[in-house]
Amino acid sequence: MSAEVLRRWVPDRPEDVATIFAEADFPWWIAGGYAIELAVGRELRAHSDLDVLVLRRDQARVRELLASWDLYVADPPGQGKLRAWRPGEILRQPLHDIWCRRKPEAPWSVQLMLDEADSSHWVSRRDPAIRLPIDQLGRTNETGIPYLAPEVQLFYKAKSTRDKDEADFEAALPLLDAPARAWLADAITMIAPDHPWLRRLLPISRT
């Protein structure tokens, strides 16, 4: 797939995704920068894509819900290569990144992210020791749109921060209560013990 095609993004809005997923019988959450905006309650910046997180165990139901869409999986992840997600195909680790467009000639509009689960717990694909009860993984805004809890989204953003991730951290940090800060500090310590965000989180998380 050419670089030009890969760059053709016109992301949906969270409310568009909520309409698409209105009949979903599985949990899902807006992720990425839009999740931070939904938590903060205001727009922070322009977005080049829109992420939706679902659990890997629900992928067949996601595939059915989006049966009319044109779906591609990043294989291998992070290499700028996509291939069609075939109907009935079960995506296994490390495959987790699915690009979605309504039809082949349309721009990409949604990026699905598959994450792991163990019974009633979400499990980080970066380190299986990092867990959270699924019912604590997200929040819901005033219009009913589910989104990742800010501490979870900031954990994803902590891996290799860019200017927009730093801005999202500054916007979301005041929203985190002591347990959320403690969880985020512990999670970041496990993957990046020298991360600069820890200086902002640890004094509160350990009191």
Side-chain angles (χ1 to χ4, degrees), residues 50-107:
L50 181 144
D51 299 331
V52 176
L53 187 139
V54 296
L55 300 177
R56 186 179 299 276
R57 66 190 183 191
D58 295 322
Q59 64 176 285
R61 289 188 279 182
V62 178
R63 188 70 177 78
E64 182 179 359
L65 180 70
L66 301 178
S68 65
W69 285 53
D70 196 39
L71 307 177
Y72 279 72
V73 58
D75 186 7
Q79 300 299 311
K81 297 180 180 180
L82 301 178
R83 65 165 178 83
W85 184 13
R86 299 179 297 273
E89 178 186 7
I90 300 300
L91 300 178
R92 306 192 186 281
Q93 295 190 53
L95 303 181
H96 66 272
D97 183 5
I98 303 159
W99 291 33
C100 312
R101 55 189 178 184
R102 286 170 171 78
K103 49 189 177 181
E105 62 272 21

Side-chain angles (χ1 to χ4, degrees), residues 30-189:
I30 297 291
Y34 274 117
I36 300 297
E37 288 190 351
L38 288 170
V40 173
R42 67 180 189 277
E43 291 188 6
L44 299 174
R45 54 181 168 81
H47 298 272
S48 59
D49 60 8
L50 181 144
D51 299 331
V52 176
L53 187 139
V54 296
L55 300 177
R56 186 179 299 276
R57 66 190 183 191
D58 295 322
Q59 64 176 285
R61 289 188 279 182
V62 178
R63 188 70 177 78
E64 182 179 359
L65 180 70
L66 301 178
S68 65
W69 285 53
D70 196 39
L71 307 177
Y72 279 72
V73 58
D75 186 7
Q79 300 299 311
K81 297 180 180 180
L82 301 178
R83 65 165 178 83
W85 184 13
R86 299 179 297 273
E89 178 186 7
I90 300 300
L91 300 178
R92 306 192 186 281
Q93 295 190 53
L95 303 181
H96 66 272
D97 183 5
I98 303 159
W99 291 33
C100 312
R101 55 189 178 184
R102 286 170 171 78
K103 49 189 177 181
E105 62 272 21
W108 307 106
S109 56
V110 175
Q111 190 166 3
L112 285 176
M113 311 301 292
L114 301 181
D115 241 347
E116 313 309 317
D118 179 8
S119 185
S120 62
H121 281 73
W122 163 82
V123 179
S124 169
R125 64 176 177 270
R126 294 179 182 168
D127 186 330
I130 300 173
R131 296 174 174 237
L132 197 65
I134 292 172
D135 61 7
Q136 296 179 28
L137 190 60
R139 308 280 188 272
T140 303
N141 81 338
E142 66 277 3
T143 64
I145 300 176
Y147 60 92
L148 281 185
E151 64 269 24
V152 178
Q153 186 56 63
L154 290 174
F155 165 72
Y156 280 108
K157 286 178 167 286
K159 183 178 181 181
S160 57
T161 57
R162 302 151 294 182
D163 288 346
K164 64 181 182 180
D165 302 316
E166 296 292 345
D168 286 347
F169 178 76
E170 294 296 334
L173 183 61
L175 304 177
L176 304 184
D177 60 16
R181 291 187 183 212
W183 181 90
L184 179 58
D186 289 342
I188 291 177
T189 299

Side-chain angles (χ1 to χ4, degrees), residues 12-19 28 30 34 38 50 145:
D12 280 357
R13 299 277 300 173
E15 53 267 29
D16 301 323
V17 174
T19 299
W28 61 275
I30 297 291
Y34 274 117
L38 288 170
L50 181 144
I145 300 176

